[in-house]
Amino acid sequence: MSRPATRDDLSALPVEVAPRLLGARLETVVGGERVVLRVTEVEAYHGRGTGEQPDPGSHARMGPTARNATMWGEPGHLYVYLSHGIHSCVNVVCAPDGVAGGVLLRGGEVVEGADVAERRRLERRGAVRSARDLARGPGRLGDAVGLRHPVHDGIDAITGVEKAGARARLLLAETPVRDVATGPRVGVAGVAGTAAFPWRFWIEGDATVSAFRWGRGAAEAAGG
């Protein structure tokens, strides 16, 4: 069972909110086509001045910019950014009022609209090897749910108000997920991608969770 998320649900620090998003549903309707995703893997990112430990891996680590403006806004909006010039990645904005933060949706299971998600994936990236790969990894997830940078950046997943032909709603699991694992974030450079920041959370044993890989210099930083 699930319920609509509220801004209050998302007003804590990202590292606190992130595990609560496991098992949540993200529902999108883009161009009249509906997809529902069950979230299985997330990562927390803090903005400048957020929490006790500065986060060198965050887009908002240096303060507000045109790129990260959505991260400094109301909780519950979705920060949709472009990675490597091609991947639209989806984050749930969260943090206390006046500071920046977000939770990257790294992986999920498509529970409704799999045919739509698969077509979108095929159009953008070619063959889909298996159902578990539809939204396994943040770029694939962005393709599957149909949200694109820059037109959908800032879309409100609390009210469901339309933006650029799309609607999004976030629904939280009534019962917390069991078997939550935590560890370093995937592909994040330097110390920000080590166990110093165990801010990746996933459902242990779920097939839709992406594989871990070190970011540039992270393995060296982890080794001392």
Side-chain angles (χ1 to χ4, degrees), residues 68-148:
N68 68 33
T70 299
M71 291 184 73
W72 296 85
E74 272 187 319
H77 291 262
L78 302 183
Y79 170 47
V80 183
Y81 73 89
L82 200 62
S83 174
H84 302 295
I86 54 174
H87 302 296
S88 290
C89 300
V90 180
N91 301 253
V92 177
V93 174
C94 57
D97 185 41
V99 297
V103 176
L104 173 65
L105 304 183
R106 273 207 59 88
E109 175 193 9
V110 177
V111 294
E112 294 184 44
D115 55 335
V116 175
E118 183 171 2
R119 192 193 71 245
R120 289 172 177 163
R121 287 282 323 283
L122 288 170
E123 289 171 350
R124 297 190 177 278
R125 261 176 269 292
V128 178
R129 289 177 295 180
S130 65
R132 78 167 190 163
D133 289 321
L134 274 178
R136 185 172 178 250
R140 293 172 177 175
L141 187 151
D143 286 344
V145 301
L147 297 179
R148 307 304 301 166

Side-chain angles (χ1 to χ4, degrees), residues 18-98:
R20 303 175 197 164
L21 296 184
L22 295 174
R25 260 62 171 172
L26 177 65
E27 175 186 340
T28 62
V29 180
V30 182
E33 296 184 311
R34 181 172 179 267
V35 169
V36 180
L37 179 95
R38 180 180 68 96
V39 178
T40 60
E41 179 186 10
V42 296
E43 288 177 346
Y45 290 89
H46 286 190
R48 186 184 67 185
T50 306
E52 298 178 358
Q53 184 178 14
D55 181 3
S58 171
H59 289 174
R61 63 187 178 277
M62 303 299 290
T65 66
R67 182 195 192 195
N68 68 33
T70 299
M71 291 184 73
W72 296 85
E74 272 187 319
H77 291 262
L78 302 183
Y79 170 47
V80 183
Y81 73 89
L82 200 62
S83 174
H84 302 295
I86 54 174
H87 302 296
S88 290
C89 300
V90 180
N91 301 253
V92 177
V93 174
C94 57
D97 185 41

Side-chain angles (χ1 to χ4, degrees), residues 136-160:
R136 185 172 178 250
R140 293 172 177 175
L141 187 151
D143 286 344
V145 301
L147 297 179
R148 307 304 301 166
H149 170 86
V151 295
H152 298 133
D153 181 31
I155 193 169
D156 192 346
I158 302 299
T159 64

Side-chain angles (χ1 to χ4, degrees), residues 170-193:
L170 180 67
L171 300 106
L172 301 182
E174 292 276 13
T175 304
V177 169
R178 299 177 60 184
D179 301 321
V180 174
T182 184
R185 296 175 293 193
V186 177
V188 178
V191 68

